[in-house]
């Protein structure tokens, strides 16, 4: 496979500047720094202390935020603090400037005038405004800069939300947009959607309308806020934060500001009467209850409990309401057409509420499609990527039966039940079965279906995020069993191993399957990639099978299973073709051990990697500890103990990395492993790496026969630190027993410091300690508890 050429749209961004060190600006700077883009963070000069004190404080605060904006905390030191009084000269060698100050047109225009003389003639200038006119902002710039100006709207939090809206002005050069799209997609890892220059663009225009419709119907059907959140979260394919918790997280003042922007700028919108903050929202803002950032909003914490605002009582009450039995049963129906039919027909107020919110969302989105977006695909992706919905509004409508739902919407409009009397656009009822088809997605402005973008950057996405009804080439199956599938995609002769188990856990079929697949690969292929069609990479070993063997007293069979696990890891490590692990999402336990033994790991930034066996009373025994001991010996042959200190803590405390970059710090990924920012590019990059290794004459590492170990002295040193933890009640007796066995394995057992052992010695130690631990009553209790509750047991 040849790499797609990006020469026509390449935008080389070595250095960036972010103007505004507020919540969004600082986090955008953090994420650019995650991506190894040198970034200067500007703000106003401080009145006291260092002139760049505001930016300095914002950078320091990044380390405290949750979820973490920085993929590793020490990256904060790489962000350069600056102020507008002393440091504007720094803009002269910046390739990208992102303005992210408060949503005041006059403030933004003043800032543009101030920076314009200092910005490089080749730099791209972008505004992160969430809804102000991009063309209006462009007017403040000198004419020669306008072709390099655009809107680039990140969603909060910028590291985690996939969506970035790209909003061109009438002057923006196509080459600037293409280059920026490639940069945002590959380097920063985002999903780019082009939006038209209308108030609030696509994501917030539709997303906030959906929240307003939900608020309106909450009152209409007299439902509690917590009941509505129970109805509008995972039950309908949306995030746990649902509606009102989302408002609290975003900030009720921010929510009110966005609503006001809609009211001020969309006077001709047929739904304009609803663009106002409800009385309860204004009341909370007046009291300073702005949501999560002030500790109280629609919800607040009362001791260990969460209480919710009851509007009628004007006070907080315990949060306990859930969906009614009837509505729960309807929402459990898998067929969307049947589900929507029953919601509309039901007399249950909760069902009527849900139908009404969907109806008005569909109505509004269809009515405004031509104004706000080029295609229905842009709308659906904007809502999915910016709001975390599983399906966008058009996809939901299409899945439920386009024409039937359209008829119901029209009936409700005619009966005066809908929020607006505005007619459905004619294209809705022109005999179509939806807006997404093989030909592409519908463009109301062009009155035609449009295919996906042909930008070269998307050739790197072998399996892009699919819109409803989209099918991609599933490749050619070479071999499969109940655990895995070995297949190829394209002509590059690189095999792909994908698991078939739930959560991609590892069982006997997976172990045997990997070994068989590698054997086939050695005969027929030049390289192999282990990649899963969906997250996680692997949640680890199948504990159910393991516990079953133990409870049946089948210790020999259990030990054989452990040995087979180790054999699989070693098969990966010593294969005659390079095996590359393509990791994204959770990569725990056995899954982590597989990637540790691969020739190279290619990990998406959002990879959460850990050897977590200690949490269930065990130790890593799929070769993980053996591999860490070998790496320690290779990095420091004279004193392996020095290299073991960090990894011992990582394993004994069952630490899981907060990112792929942090996994490198924890010693779970190697410095040579590759981090990819866009998860949809993971398979493409992994195949390129695997092919490159094969073409460069890769050979498996030699079997390690003379591994220097830290020995009994190393184990004793670790035990001394564990005694302190136990004395301070930070570790239970069983925690210490597990950690001691981990230390003994890493240090090579009860032998003299500096002794030389081979790989089989280390693997045997792993097996011995694992099998002995697994037979203890406390470990079996931990395994059973984790399987039942999904949470660790401290015993």
């Amino acid at each position: 496979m040849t790499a797609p050429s990006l020469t026509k749209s390449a935008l080389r961004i070595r250095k960036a500047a972010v103007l505004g060190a507020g919540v969004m600006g600082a986090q955008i700077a953090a994420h650019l720094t995650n991506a190894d883009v040198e970034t200067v963070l500007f703000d106003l000069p401080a009145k006291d202390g260092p002139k760049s004190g505001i930016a300095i404080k914002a950078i320091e605060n990044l380390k405290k935020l949750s979820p973490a904006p920085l993929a590793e905390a020490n990256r904060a030191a790489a962000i350069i603090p600056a102020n507008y009084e002393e440091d504007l000269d720094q803009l002269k060698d910046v390739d990208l400037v992102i303005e992210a100050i408060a949503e005041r047109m006059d403030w933004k225009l003043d800032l543009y005038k101030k920076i314009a003389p200092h910005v490089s003639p080749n730099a791209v200038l972008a505004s992160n405004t969430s809804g102000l006119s991009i063309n209006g902002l462009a007017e403040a710039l000198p004419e020669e800069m306008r072709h390099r100006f655009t809107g680039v709207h990140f969603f909060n939090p910028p590291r985690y939300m996939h969506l970035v809206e790209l909003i061109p002005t009438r002057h923006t050069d196509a080459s600037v947009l293409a280059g920026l799209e490639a940069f945002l997609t590959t380097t920063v890892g985002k999903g780019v959607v082009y939006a038209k220059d209308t108030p609030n663009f696509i994501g917030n225009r539709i997303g906030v309308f959906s929240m307003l419709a939900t608020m309106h119907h909450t009152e209409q059907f007299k439902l509690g806020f917590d009941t509505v959140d129970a109805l509008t979260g995972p039950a309908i394919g949306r995030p746990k934060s649902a509606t009102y918790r989302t408002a609290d997280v975003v900030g009720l003042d921010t929510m009110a500001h966005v609503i006001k922007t809609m009211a001020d700028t969309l006077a001709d919108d047929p739904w304009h009467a609803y663009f106002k903050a409800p009385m309860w929202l204004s009341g909370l803002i007046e009291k300073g209850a702005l949501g999560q950032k002030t500790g109280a909003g629609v919800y607040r914490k009362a001791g260990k409990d969460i209480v919710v605002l009851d509007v009628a009582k004007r006070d907080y009450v315990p949060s306990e309401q859930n969906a009614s039995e009837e509505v729960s049963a309807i929402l459990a129906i898998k067929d969307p057409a049947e589900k929507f039919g029953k919601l509309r027909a039901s007399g249950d107020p909760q069902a009527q509420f849900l139908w009404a919110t969907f109806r008005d969302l569909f109505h509004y989105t269809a009515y405004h499609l031509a104004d706000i977006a080029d295609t229905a695909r842009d709308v659906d992706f904007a809502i999915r990527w910016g709001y975390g919905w599983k399906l966008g509004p058009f996809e939901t409508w299409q899945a439920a039966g386009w024409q039937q739902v359209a008829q119901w919407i029209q009936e409700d409009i005619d009966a005066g039940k809908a929020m607006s009397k505005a007619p459905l656009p004619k294209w809705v009822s022109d005999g179509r079965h939806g807006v997404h088809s093989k030909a592409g997605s519908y463009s109301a402005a062009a009155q035609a279906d449009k295919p996906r973008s042909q930008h070269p950057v998307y050739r790197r996405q072998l399996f892009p995020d699919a819109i409803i009804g989209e099918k991609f080439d599933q490749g050619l199956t070479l071999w499969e069993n109940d655990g895995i599938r070995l297949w190829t995609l394209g002509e590059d002769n690189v095999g792909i191993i994908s698991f078939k188990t739930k959560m991609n856990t590892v069982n006997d079929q997976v172990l045997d399957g990997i070994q068989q697949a590698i054997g086939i690969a050695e005969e027929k292929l030049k390289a192999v990639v282990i990649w899963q069609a969906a997250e996680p990479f692997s949640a680890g070993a199948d504990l159910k099978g393991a516990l079953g063997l133990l409870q049946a007293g089948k210790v020999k069979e259990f030990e054989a299973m452990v040995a087979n696990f180790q054999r699989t890891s070693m098969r990966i490590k010593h294969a005659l073709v390079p095996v590359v692990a393509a990791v994204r999402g959770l990569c725990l336990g056995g899954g982590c051990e597989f990637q540790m033994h691969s020739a190279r790991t290619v990990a998406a930034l959002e990879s959460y990697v850990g050897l977590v066996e200690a949490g269930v009373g065990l130790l890593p025994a799929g070769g993980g500890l053996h591999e860490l001991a070998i790496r320690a010996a290779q990095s420091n042959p004279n004193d392996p103990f020095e290299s073991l200190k960090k990894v011992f803590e990582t394993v004994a405390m069952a630490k899981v990395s907060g990112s792929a970059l942090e996994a490198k710090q924890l010693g779970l990924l190697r410095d040579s492993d590759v981090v990819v920012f866009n998860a949809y590019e993971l398979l493409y990059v992994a195949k390129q790496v695997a092919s490159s290794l094969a073409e460069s004459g890769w050979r498996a590492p030699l079997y390690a026969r003379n591994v220097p170990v830290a020995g009994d002295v190393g184990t004793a040193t670790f035990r001394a630190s564990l005694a302190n933890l136990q004395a301070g009640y930070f570790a239970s007796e069983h925690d210490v027993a597990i950690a001691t066995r981990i230390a003994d394995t890493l240090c090579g057992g009860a032998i003299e410091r500096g002794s030389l052992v081979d790989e089989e010695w280390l693997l045997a130690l792993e097996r011995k300690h694992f099998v002995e631990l697994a037979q203890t009553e406390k470990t079996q209790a931990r395994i059973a508890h984790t399987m039942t509750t999904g949470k660790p047991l401290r015993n």
Side-chain angles (χ1 to χ4, degrees):
M1 182 185 294
T2 56
S5 170
L6 298 179
T7 50
K8 288 183 181 176
S9 53
L11 185 66
R12 306 295 183 195
I13 295 176
R14 290 183 177 83
K15 190 172 181 179
V18 178
L19 311 180
V23 173
M24 282 300 286
Q27 291 197 58
I28 291 169
H31 194 55
L32 290 170
T33 306
N34 289 337
D36 292 325
V37 177
E38 187 178 17
T39 304
V40 188
L41 180 62
F42 280 86
D43 211 295
L44 296 166
K47 291 175 182 174
D48 302 308
K51 274 285 169 70
S52 297
I54 295 173
I56 291 168
K57 187 177 179 183
I59 293 166
E60 193 59 31
N61 191 51
L62 288 170
K63 301 175 191 174
K64 304 171 189 171
L65 294 179
S66 179
L70 293 158
E72 49 180 348
N74 61 13
R75 293 212 164 208
I79 303 172
I80 303 162
N83 67 86
Y84 303 126
E85 188 176 298
E86 298 176 325
D87 302 313
L88 288 177
D89 271 359
Q90 291 204 43
L91 293 172
K92 69 179 182 298
D93 60 348
V94 161
D95 306 303
L96 172 65
V97 180
I98 299 176
E99 170 270 305
I101 68 168
E103 291 290 272
R104 283 270 302 266
M105 179 72 85
D106 54 340
W107 291 359
K108 290 179 189 283
L109 296 180
D110 284 349
L111 181 58
Y112 293 178
K113 287 170 186 169
K114 182 182 286 187
I115 66 166
H118 302 273
V119 176
S120 155
N122 299 314
V124 173
L125 177 60
S127 175
N128 183 59
T129 178
S130 59
L132 297 178
S133 168
I134 300 298
N135 281 290
L137 291 170
E139 297 308 314
L141 293 169
E143 198 168 330
E144 65 272 15
M145 287 181 69
R146 290 179 192 171
H147 70 285
R148 292 181 284 111
F149 176 72
T150 185
V152 172
H153 179 216
F154 287 81
F155 272 60
N156 191 20
R159 172 182 160 189
Y160 300 94
M161 299 310 293
H162 191 57
L163 177 65
V164 170
E165 291 176 315
L166 199 50
I167 313 101
T169 73
R170 63 180 74 91
H171 304 292
T172 314
D173 269 3
S175 61
V176 167
L177 293 168
L180 201 49
E181 185 174 3
F183 170 76
L184 290 166
T185 302
T186 291
T187 305
V188 189
K190 297 302 168 191
V192 173
V193 165
Y194 279 83
K196 295 185 180 180
D197 187 16
T198 55
N200 288 359
F201 313 129
I202 301 173
N204 284 340
R205 179 76 174 272
I206 301 301
V208 173
F209 174 81
S210 177
M211 293 179 79
L212 282 170
T214 302
M215 290 175 182
H216 168 73
H217 291 302
T218 300
E219 194 173 327
Q220 184 187 11
F221 292 100
K222 298 179 171 53
L223 300 178
F225 296 138
D226 49 350
T227 300
V228 169
D229 277 355
L231 294 169
T232 59
I236 59 170
R238 297 181 189 174
K240 285 182 183 176
S241 55
T243 301
Y244 293 102
R245 285 185 192 277
T246 296
D248 270 356
V249 170
V250 169
L252 300 186
D253 52 339
T254 303
M255 182 80 195
H257 174 79
V258 174
I259 295 169
K260 186 176 185 302
T261 300
M262 292 177 78
D264 292 347
T265 56
L266 295 167
D268 296 331
D269 192 303
W271 284 262
H272 185 266
Y274 299 96
F275 299 164
K276 58 186 178 187
M279 291 285 288
W280 60 264
L281 179 58
S282 302
L284 285 172
I285 292 169
E286 282 175 24
K287 290 178 183 175
L290 307 179
Q292 196 174 70
K293 60 190 171 187
T294 60
V298 177
Y299 295 90
R300 71 174 171 82
K301 208 166 184 183
K304 291 185 177 180
D305 300 321
I306 300 291
V307 291
V308 62
L309 181 68
D310 184 311
V311 175
K313 293 180 180 177
R314 297 189 178 185
D315 199 0
Y316 289 91
V317 298
S319 174
E320 56 190 23
Q321 294 188 52
N322 292 307
S324 69
E325 286 186 20
E326 181 182 342
V327 169
S328 294
I330 293 172
L331 293 178
I333 296 169
K334 291 192 174 176
D335 177 23
E338 183 186 352
K339 184 186 301 184
F340 271 82
K342 290 200 169 176
L343 281 176
R344 187 168 189 267
S346 172
D348 187 312
Q350 292 185 14
Q352 292 174 351
F353 159 82
L354 279 172
W355 162 250
T357 55
F358 275 114
R359 174 200 64 215
D360 292 321
L361 171 64
F362 297 160
H363 185 189
Y364 188 83
T365 308
Y367 184 88
H368 286 295
L369 174 59
D371 308 332
I372 65 173
D374 186 35
T375 70
R377 184 192 307 106
D378 297 325
V379 172
D380 281 339
F381 279 153
I383 294 299
R384 276 167 50 175
W385 295 343
Y387 281 77
W389 296 11
K390 284 189 177 174
L391 291 177
F394 285 127
E395 289 178 293
T396 307
W397 181 353
Q398 183 166 323
W402 186 270
Q403 288 301 331
Q404 177 62 80
V405 171
Q407 182 185 324
W408 288 337
I409 295 170
Q410 192 59 57
E411 286 173 8
D412 281 10
I413 294 170
D414 295 341
K417 293 180 180 178
M419 287 169 70
S420 169
K421 293 180 181 178
L424 277 173
K426 288 182 180 178
W427 61 263
V428 168
S429 303
D430 63 1
R432 66 177 50 254
H433 298 293
V435 288
H436 305 297
S437 67
K438 285 183 180 178
S441 295
Y442 186 68
S443 169
Q447 296 183 6
D449 291 333
K450 289 190 174 183
R452 279 179 174 262
S453 167
Q454 294 303 300
H455 192 303
V457 76
Y458 297 115
R459 292 182 214 156
R460 298 169 59 88
Q461 299 185 14
L462 304 181
F463 290 91
D465 199 358
I467 209 82
I468 190 169
E470 266 188 320
K471 294 279 189 285
F472 302 110
D473 181 1
Q474 298 301 301
L476 176 68
T477 300
L478 299 183
W479 181 86
E480 62 185 323
N481 68 355
D482 289 341
I484 68 114
R485 174 186 177 225
L486 172 66
W487 53 290
T488 56
L489 185 70
E491 305 292 323
D492 56 9
N493 208 31
V494 174
I496 303 164
I497 293 174
S498 299
F499 298 179
K500 295 180 179 182
T501 50
K502 186 178 180 182
M503 295 286 284
N504 298 319
T505 51
V506 182
N507 59 18
D508 288 337
Q509 288 79 23
V510 170
L511 295 172
D512 295 342
I514 290 173
Q515 293 176 51
Q516 179 88 1
I518 289 174
I520 294 168
E522 288 173 335
E523 291 179 20
K524 300 181 178 179
L525 302 167
K526 70 177 182 182
V528 173
V529 170
I530 302 176
W531 175 83
Q532 317 296 8
E535 291 184 21
F537 176 73
S538 176
D542 176 10
L543 291 175
K544 187 178 179 182
L547 187 60
L549 288 173
L550 288 170
Q551 290 175 335
K554 297 181 178 179
V555 177
K556 283 190 177 179
E557 289 88 340
F558 179 76
E559 187 166 2
M561 185 194 73
V562 179
N564 197 28
F565 217 123
Q566 293 181 332
R567 197 156 45 246
T568 307
S569 291
M570 295 297 279
R571 193 77 179 88
I572 290 169
K573 181 175 182 177
H574 294 290
L576 296 176
V577 294
V579 180
V580 171
V583 171
R584 58 179 164 170
L586 290 175
C587 176
L588 305 178
C592 178
E593 289 172 298
F594 287 164
Q595 69 79 24
M596 288 173 69
H597 286 83
S598 63
R600 193 82 81 249
T601 295
V602 178
L605 178 71
E606 300 310 331
S607 294
Y608 312 114
V609 185
L611 293 169
V612 294
E613 287 83 353
V616 289
L618 294 166
L619 52 72
L625 296 181
H626 131 279
E627 183 64 20
L628 289 172
I630 289 173
R631 289 183 190 180
Q634 288 171 341
S635 66
N636 199 342
N638 294 324
D639 187 9
F641 184 78
E642 280 306 306
S643 298
L644 289 175
K645 286 179 183 175
K646 181 171 65 178
V647 292
F648 170 70
E649 185 179 312
T650 297
V651 180
M653 296 182 69
K655 286 184 179 179
V656 177
S657 73
S659 71
L661 296 178
E662 192 181 344
K664 288 191 175 190
Q665 282 194 325
L666 293 176
L668 299 171
L669 289 181
R670 297 155 289 200
D671 288 342
S672 59
D673 289 333
V674 179
V675 178
V676 172
F677 271 60
N678 195 317
Y680 294 107
E681 296 183 352
L682 181 66
L683 179 57
Y684 170 84
V685 176
K687 290 184 79 182
Q688 293 285 328
V689 168
S691 189
S692 175
L693 285 172
E695 295 293 344
S696 61
W698 180 89
R699 295 286 297 173
L702 292 171
Y703 180 83
R705 301 185 187 282
N706 295 295
V707 183
V709 294
D712 48 11
V713 175
T715 304
T717 308
F718 283 134
R719 286 191 70 171
S721 64
L722 292 170
N724 292 335
L725 285 173
Q726 190 175 1
Y729 301 102
F730 293 111
S732 70
E733 185 180 344
H734 196 52
D735 289 332
V736 171
I738 297 161
T740 300
R741 289 176 183 270
I742 290 169
D744 187 67
T745 309
L746 286 171
C747 294
I751 56 177
E752 193 176 330
R753 181 179 182 175
S755 297
L756 301 178
V757 302
D758 62 12
E759 292 198 51
E760 184 47 50
W761 173 278
L762 294 167
L763 290 169
L765 259 180
E766 253 188 18
R767 281 198 307 278
K768 169 182 172 289
H769 284 310
F770 186 88
V771 173
E772 288 176 1
L773 268 176
Q775 293 177 78
T776 64
E777 187 179 325
K778 287 188 175 181
T779 284
Q780 290 190 22
R782 286 192 181 193
I783 295 172
H785 186 270
T786 301
M787 284 170 55
T788 307
T789 67
K791 296 175 182 176
L793 172 68
R794 185 87 183 278
N795 62 357

